[in-house]
Amino acid sequence: MSRHTEPRRPLILNAFEGNTVGNVQQGMWAHPRDDRLGFGSLKHWLDRARRYEEARFDAVFFADVLGLYDTYRGSSAPAIENAVEFPAHDPLTLIPAMAAVTENLGFVVTASTSYEHPFANARRWSSLDHLTGGRVGWNIVTSYLPSAARNFGLTEQWSHDDRYDRAEEFLEISYKLWEKSWDEDAVVADIQRSVYAEADRIHAINHVGRTWSVAGPHLVEPSAQRTPLLFQAGTSGRGVQFAGKHAEVVFLGTNEAAGQLKARENIEAAAVAAGRNPEDVRLLGGLQVVVGKTHEQAQARLEEYQNYLSREGALAHWCGVSGRDLDHYDEDTVFEKGDTDHVQTQAKRFSVEGGNARTVGQLKQHFGTLGSYVQPIVGTPEEVVDEIERRAIDGRIDGFNVQPIVQPETFDDFIEHILPRLRERGLARESYGTSGLRERVFGSPRLPATHPAHQVSI
Amino acid sequence: MSRHTEPRRPLILNAFEGNTVGNVQQGMWAHPRDDRLGFGSLKHWLDRARRYEEARFDAVFFADVLGLYDTYRGSSAPAIENAVEFPAHDPLTLIPAMAAVTENLGFVVTASTSYEHPFANARRWSSLDHLTGGRVGWNIVTSYLPSAARNFGLTEQWSHDDRYDRAEEFLEISYKLWEKSWDEDAVVADIQRSVYAEADRIHAINHVGRTWSVAGPHLVEPSAQRTPLLFQAGTSGRGVQFAGKHAEVVFLGTNEAAGQLKARENIEAAAVAAGRNPEDVRLLGGLQVVVGKTHEQAQARLEEYQNYLSREGALAHWCGVSGRDLDHYDEDTVFEKGDTDHVQTQAKRFSVEGGNARTVGQLKQHFGTLGSYVQPIVGTPEEVVDEIERRAIDGRIDGFNVQPIVQPETFDDFIEHILPRLRERGLARESYGTSGLRERVFGSPRLPATHPAHQVSI
């Protein structure tokens, strides 16, 4: 069979989370079987970590934002009342705790190149990579919320392209610190001579750039992965170029096969243009499942979930992501020409996945249905697994971020009913094999020689 | 008995640590019984956490630096070779892991007002305070290493007083986020109405200051302590003023009774000037012990330790702290008039504690002895406990940061031989009582009404 009709390997499967009350499907925190009100406690996350490792998820993937979704109606009230990625506690603080009770589970966490400082950020990731023995991945974002910009001293957000320019320099600095500052044999820990490290094998980076000056050297010795596994989710033209150059795993903004194939083509082209091997990039889709013993039972459960969805929350979320307050547009407006890449992409996603919503009026109607974020797969375990396999093949997808509807119910269902069947078909790993995150995904703990991280010089 | 001749309560006892190979007594990492080469692993810190909690230490106190000690000889080589607070992994990453295996141990961690961003910093501490159930303390520093400044984009460090001006604004923003942004009853988590929080009880802070603009609101709901327990170690005139205004626990730069009494007078005066109750500030000294069955055995052990001390490391450390390269001074130079507060204080400390070293030549001689950092108490358990009690009474000290010489040996000795005897004398807690850090030290989880955190307005 050709490479196009068969998944090449077991799927990468991550549990999608947020250090928050409400994520993914807005309003579901109020479902009587949802446990996310406990998100502030250590026990909540230790239980989650053990559960995800027991199920052999590759990683838990943490989304994050640094501000409120206050675009819709120009108010933060809808996001606060409906807990739209709110509160937003720091997800990185969960990783060491979850690592303390697991051996193999990976941790992918969102951190922003717009609001972190590259020196502190690099130190933090390296420290975590040490503690976890190479189990961390960084979901690189440039942050899209204007409210986040205002929390970090800007009266106005940098433009989309400026954010990516800054991100380029941010990564250049990160690579210098992670890959170039310490020679592999710098640490000698020679007790006889009382020499911990050889000074001539540790190098200042003396970076002087447009936005940052960072002298170095890096303060952390080389960790298992040196550079954390690099995730990205860029969908705009510039985002794709960035992802193709830097990212090792890309979380796609669409679950529609044609869009995914197109995204692969673009990302692989960008990777090749940056001197990389297209095989060094993996693509993930989003995945939500609603399972029942019969198709009718699954459908009934979907409808029961539906009652808890918050239309206001979904609108607040979409308007924040797209940067457009739908309350300010005529109902028959169509987002297309003259809009930014990002808004077009967001609108297009809904026009494809959201029951062909073309106008603002149709979009607004569409919120308050579970399909408004990701179209869930609804059915018996066999039906769901068939559909997952079909999506993986048709979209040539390497894996999925499995997203919650009701927690922990959605994951319990996935673990109990779907994972064993995926394993039977060779679509999920039987065992972890190795605990290192990059090593599990790519067979080696370090970035390949063709990655641009190796091209920076100090 | 008068308040001056008797400790008022059981001593606060913290285990002093760093996420590094070499701290406190330079060179000791190379001692054959020292285990700090394992500092990069999770197991190392989980074992430490369990051990410190079993011993009922109030907290583990993490020092931290954001650059290399490269003042001495204008080179980073001495610090790299001798592991002088090097490598410097991020200590905050250890806290959630150590919290995951403990119930009551507190965590005090150093973070810099010069190089963190106040919004991100506040979010991180609040997230940790949630996870730990109110067990965190922040050791506020303005950072003294020029090398740290160069890692964060500055060609030259801000002046000492500028750093404190910035620290004032940093704390003002922190207080606004921690104490004012969320009303106590903001979170309603009303499942019936599907309302997570009442929008009119969560407030933007709209801070516009000299250095930062931060809109808010805080993204983290109120935690057990809201504001972490505030530690500080300022010794200069400006540092004392800052400590008196903000700090709840001050780590003093001297172990000499007259200096400690003077420091108390100054800090309490500054506290009163800021509208606070002098009883709301606790003072800690540093403490190192070398224990033997007989005095002679203890002395022999001290001498054995002495062989592993690194004079180069101690010089690199002192020159970094004081900002003066001793290699550039005439041997008969005396630091006094015309030097900054900080250098004078550092020099004075050595003139008092370091065998009356008055000149640069004498100072340099003095390094390479265990007394060059903190004068250890050497003797039988009874002798050591007598001396601790004497120091606590004479200097009116509320507790100690217990510092390692050889790890874990120093702490093992302290736990096995000293702590039980301190308990017999009522000088150490019998049990934790409460798990909250501020609650244990001050009887309440929240800052008192007179603290300046409550005086900020938004």
Side-chain angles (χ1 to χ4, degrees):
Chain A
M1 264 188 234
S2 91
R3 186 164 151 256
H4 278 235
T5 54
E6 195 174 45
R8 288 164 290 177
R9 50 185 82 80
L11 296 165
I12 298 164
L13 295 170
N14 301 324
F16 188 92
E17 284 276 10
N19 193 356
T20 184
V21 166
N23 62 341
V24 185
Q25 297 288 10
Q26 305 307 327
M28 297 312 295
W29 65 269
H31 189 286
R33 292 193 300 276
D34 199 283
D35 72 349
R36 273 174 284 189
L37 288 176
F39 85 109
S41 85
L42 203 48
K43 184 179 181 308
H44 182 86
W45 294 107
L46 301 183
D47 289 348
R48 289 275 206 274
R50 292 187 190 100
R51 181 82 170 121
Y52 295 147
E53 172 149 296
E54 196 180 63
R56 283 158 281 164
F57 275 102
D58 284 290
V60 51
F61 181 108
F62 280 96
D64 190 33
V65 288
L66 293 166
L68 274 162
Y69 284 82
D70 58 3
T71 304
Y72 176 56
R73 292 185 183 163
S75 164
S76 56
I80 288 175
E81 289 164 5
N82 295 287
V84 179
E85 298 192 35
F86 183 80
H89 295 194
D90 188 334
L92 266 176
T93 62
L94 302 176
I95 307 319
M98 295 174 83
V101 296
T102 54
E103 298 283 337
N104 298 289
L105 184 65
F107 304 100
V108 183
V109 187
T110 300
S112 170
T113 54
S114 295
Y115 307 120
E116 298 290 341
H117 189 281
F119 186 81
N121 184 68
R123 187 170 91 119
R124 199 174 296 129
W125 283 105
S126 294
S127 303
L128 289 170
D129 204 49
H130 271 285
L131 285 181
T132 62
R135 294 197 267 153
V136 294
W138 172 23
N139 181 39
I140 307 163
V141 299
T142 64
S143 300
Y144 49 72
L145 290 176
S147 60
R150 293 193 301 271
N151 288 332
F152 287 87
L154 302 171
T155 46
E156 213 173 324
Q157 202 171 193
W158 294 294
S159 75
H160 180 269
D161 279 7
D162 275 355
R163 295 205 303 276
Y164 274 103
D165 285 343
R166 291 167 60 98
E168 283 287 347
E169 187 184 342
F170 194 109
L171 283 177
E172 183 187 340
I173 298 165
S174 305
Y175 296 150
K176 288 175 178 176
L177 292 166
W178 285 330
E179 301 289 339
K180 303 290 181 179
S181 184
W182 291 58
D183 296 350
E184 202 64 32
D185 59 355
V187 175
V188 291
D190 186 332
I191 287 178
Q192 298 308 318
R193 287 192 300 143
S194 191
V195 171
Y196 181 67
E198 298 291 358
D200 61 357
R201 299 175 192 170
I202 297 175
H203 315 288
I205 67 166
N206 291 321
H207 175 89
V208 179
R210 205 174 112 182
T211 304
W212 295 282
S213 294
V214 177
H218 197 32
L219 295 178
V220 185
E221 58 190 75
S223 63
Q225 300 186 119
R226 280 190 181 246
T227 297
L229 187 63
L230 299 173
F231 282 65
Q232 225 266 336
T235 47
S236 66
R238 185 67 198 275
V240 165
Q241 187 194 331
F242 184 89
K245 179 172 174 189
H246 299 285
E248 303 177 83
V249 186
V250 179
F251 182 24
L252 298 175
T254 178
N255 284 320
E256 185 263 330
Q260 291 178 332
L261 292 171
K262 184 72 192 159
R264 176 176 291 276
E265 195 178 306
N266 292 339
I267 290 166
E268 289 187 348
V272 170
R276 300 175 66 195
N277 184 336
E279 287 290 313
D280 293 342
V281 187
R282 300 279 188 273
L283 304 191
L284 306 184
L287 181 64
Q288 289 180 31
V289 301
V290 181
V291 185
K293 278 187 184 163
T294 64
H295 190 85
E296 292 66 33
Q297 281 180 9
Q299 196 61 39
R301 180 174 269 193
L302 179 77
E303 280 153 29
E304 190 249 355
Y305 288 164
Q306 195 84 32
N307 296 328
Y308 293 90
L309 269 179
S310 161
R311 180 187 301 268
E312 285 286 291
L315 277 162
H317 186 256
W318 191 91
C319 294
V321 171
S322 67
R324 301 298 165 109
D325 180 359
L326 287 184
D327 216 39
H328 277 193
Y329 286 83
D330 287 339
E331 297 279 304
D332 55 0
T333 307
V334 176
F335 289 126
E336 217 144 2
K337 292 194 178 106
D339 289 303
T340 64
D341 272 4
H342 188 59
V343 174
Q344 279 188 49
T345 308
Q346 290 297 323
K348 198 176 166 199
R349 234 185 79 198
F350 287 96
S351 75
V352 173
E353 294 179 23
N356 293 313
R358 303 288 307 169
T359 66
V360 165
Q362 287 166 333
L363 274 177
K364 284 166 86 169
Q365 270 306 316
H366 182 54
F367 293 111
T369 68
L370 277 165
S372 76
Y373 187 89
V374 166
Q375 195 70 48
I377 305 176
V378 183
T380 65
E382 285 301 325
E383 287 173 336
V384 169
V385 172
D386 284 348
E387 175 65 9
I388 292 173
E389 182 163 18
R390 188 194 67 72
R391 287 192 187 183
I393 292 171
D394 289 359
R396 294 184 54 214
I397 287 303
D398 300 299
F400 295 97
N401 279 342
V402 184
Q403 298 178 314
I405 301 171
V406 169
Q407 280 195 280
E409 187 165 286
T410 307
F411 286 113
D412 287 344
D413 284 349
F414 188 82
I415 291 166
E416 192 178 338
H417 301 295
I418 306 304
L419 267 178
R421 290 174 170 84
L422 288 174
R423 290 209 171 91
E424 280 170 20
R425 300 190 191 187
L427 288 169
R429 296 178 200 286
E430 288 292 335
S431 70
Y432 272 117
T434 171
S435 67
L437 186 57
R438 180 178 287 109
E439 195 169 2
R440 189 154 65 233
V441 175
F442 288 106
S444 163
R446 298 290 173 85
L447 281 167
T450 51
H451 191 280
H454 291 300
Q455 320 313 325
V456 300
S457 56
I458 58 172
Chain B
M1 264 189 234
S2 90
R3 184 164 153 258
H4 278 236
T5 54
E6 195 174 46
R8 288 163 290 178
R9 50 183 83 77
L11 296 165
I12 298 164
L13 294 170
N14 301 324
F16 188 92
E17 283 276 10
N19 193 357
T20 183
V21 166
N23 61 340
V24 185
Q25 297 289 10
Q26 304 307 328
M28 298 310 296
W29 66 269
H31 189 286
R33 293 193 300 276
D34 200 283
D35 72 349
R36 274 173 283 189
L37 288 176
F39 85 110
S41 85
L42 204 48
K43 184 180 182 307
H44 181 86
W45 294 107
L46 301 182
D47 289 348
R48 288 276 207 273
R50 292 187 190 100
R51 180 83 171 124
Y52 296 147
E53 172 150 297
E54 195 181 63
R56 282 158 282 164
F57 276 103
D58 284 290
V60 52
F61 181 109
F62 279 96
D64 191 32
V65 287
L66 292 166
L68 273 163
Y69 283 82
D70 58 3
T71 304
Y72 177 55
R73 293 186 182 163
S75 164
S76 56
I80 289 173
E81 288 164 6
N82 294 287
V84 179
E85 298 191 35
F86 182 80
H89 294 193
D90 187 335
L92 267 176
T93 61
L94 301 176
I95 307 318
M98 295 174 84
V101 296
T102 55
E103 298 282 337
N104 297 290
L105 184 65
F107 304 100
V108 183
V109 187
T110 299
S112 170
T113 54
S114 295
Y115 307 119
E116 297 289 340
H117 189 282
F119 186 80
N121 183 68
R123 187 170 91 119
R124 199 173 297 129
W125 283 104
S126 295
S127 303
L128 289 171
D129 204 50
H130 271 286
L131 284 182
T132 62
R135 293 195 268 154
V136 294
W138 172 22
N139 181 39
I140 308 164
V141 298
T142 64
S143 300
Y144 49 71
L145 290 175
S147 60
R150 293 192 301 271
N151 288 332
F152 288 87
L154 303 171
T155 46
E156 212 172 326
Q157 202 171 194
W158 293 294
S159 75
H160 180 269
D161 279 8
D162 275 355
R163 295 207 302 276
Y164 274 104
D165 285 343
R166 291 169 59 100
E168 283 286 348
E169 187 185 342
F170 195 110
L171 282 178
E172 183 187 340
I173 298 165
S174 306
Y175 296 151
K176 287 175 179 177
L177 292 166
W178 285 330
E179 300 289 339
K180 302 290 181 180
S181 185
W182 290 58
D183 297 349
E184 202 64 32
D185 59 355
V187 175
V188 291
D190 186 332
I191 287 177
Q192 297 308 317
R193 289 191 300 142
S194 191
V195 171
Y196 180 68
E198 299 290 358
D200 61 359
R201 298 175 192 170
I202 296 174
H203 315 287
I205 66 164
N206 292 321
H207 174 89
V208 179
R210 203 173 113 182
T211 304
W212 294 282
S213 295
V214 177
H218 197 33
L219 295 178
V220 185
E221 58 189 76
S223 63
Q225 301 186 121
R226 279 191 181 247
T227 297
L229 187 63
L230 299 174
F231 282 65
Q232 224 266 335
T235 48
S236 65
R238 186 66 199 277
V240 165
Q241 187 193 332
F242 184 90
K245 179 171 173 190
H246 298 285
E248 302 176 84
V249 186
V250 179
F251 182 25
L252 297 175
T254 178
N255 284 320
E256 185 263 330
Q260 291 178 332
L261 292 170
K262 184 71 192 160
R264 176 177 291 278
E265 195 178 305
N266 293 339
I267 291 166
E268 288 187 348
V272 170
R276 300 175 67 194
N277 183 336
E279 287 290 313
D280 293 341
V281 187
R282 299 280 188 274
L283 304 191
L284 306 184
L287 181 64
Q288 289 179 31
V289 302
V290 180
V291 186
K293 278 187 185 163
T294 65
H295 189 85
E296 291 65 33
Q297 280 180 9
Q299 195 62 39
R301 181 175 269 194
L302 179 77
E303 280 153 29
E304 190 248 354
Y305 288 164
Q306 195 84 33
N307 296 328
Y308 293 91
L309 270 178
S310 161
R311 180 187 301 266
E312 285 286 289
L315 277 164
H317 186 254
W318 191 91
C319 295
V321 171
S322 67
R324 300 298 166 109
D325 180 0
L326 287 185
D327 217 39
H328 277 194
Y329 287 84
D330 287 340
E331 296 280 303
D332 55 0
T333 307
V334 176
F335 288 126
E336 217 144 3
K337 291 193 179 105
D339 289 304
T340 64
D341 271 5
H342 188 61
V343 174
Q344 278 188 49
T345 308
Q346 290 297 323
K348 198 175 166 200
R349 235 184 79 197
F350 287 95
S351 75
V352 173
E353 294 180 22
N356 294 312
R358 303 288 307 168
T359 66
V360 165
Q362 286 166 333
L363 273 177
K364 285 166 86 168
Q365 269 306 316
H366 183 53
F367 293 110
T369 68
L370 276 165
S372 76
Y373 187 90
V374 167
Q375 194 69 50
I377 305 176
V378 183
T380 65
E382 285 302 326
E383 287 173 336
V384 169
V385 172
D386 284 348
E387 174 65 10
I388 292 173
E389 182 164 19
R390 188 195 67 73
R391 286 191 188 185
I393 292 171
D394 289 358
R396 294 184 56 215
I397 286 303
D398 300 299
F400 295 97
N401 278 342
V402 184
Q403 299 178 314
I405 301 172
V406 169
Q407 280 196 281
E409 187 165 287
T410 307
F411 286 114
D412 287 344
D413 285 349
F414 188 81
I415 291 166
E416 191 177 339
H417 301 295
I418 307 304
L419 267 177
R421 290 175 169 85
L422 288 175
R423 289 210 172 89
E424 280 169 20
R425 301 190 191 187
L427 288 169
R429 298 179 199 286
E430 288 292 336
S431 71
Y432 272 116
T434 171
S435 67
L437 186 56
R438 180 179 286 109
E439 195 169 1
R440 190 154 64 234
V441 175
F442 287 106
S444 163
R446 298 289 173 86
L447 281 167
T450 51
H451 192 280
H454 291 300
Q455 320 312 325
V456 299
S457 55
I458 59 171

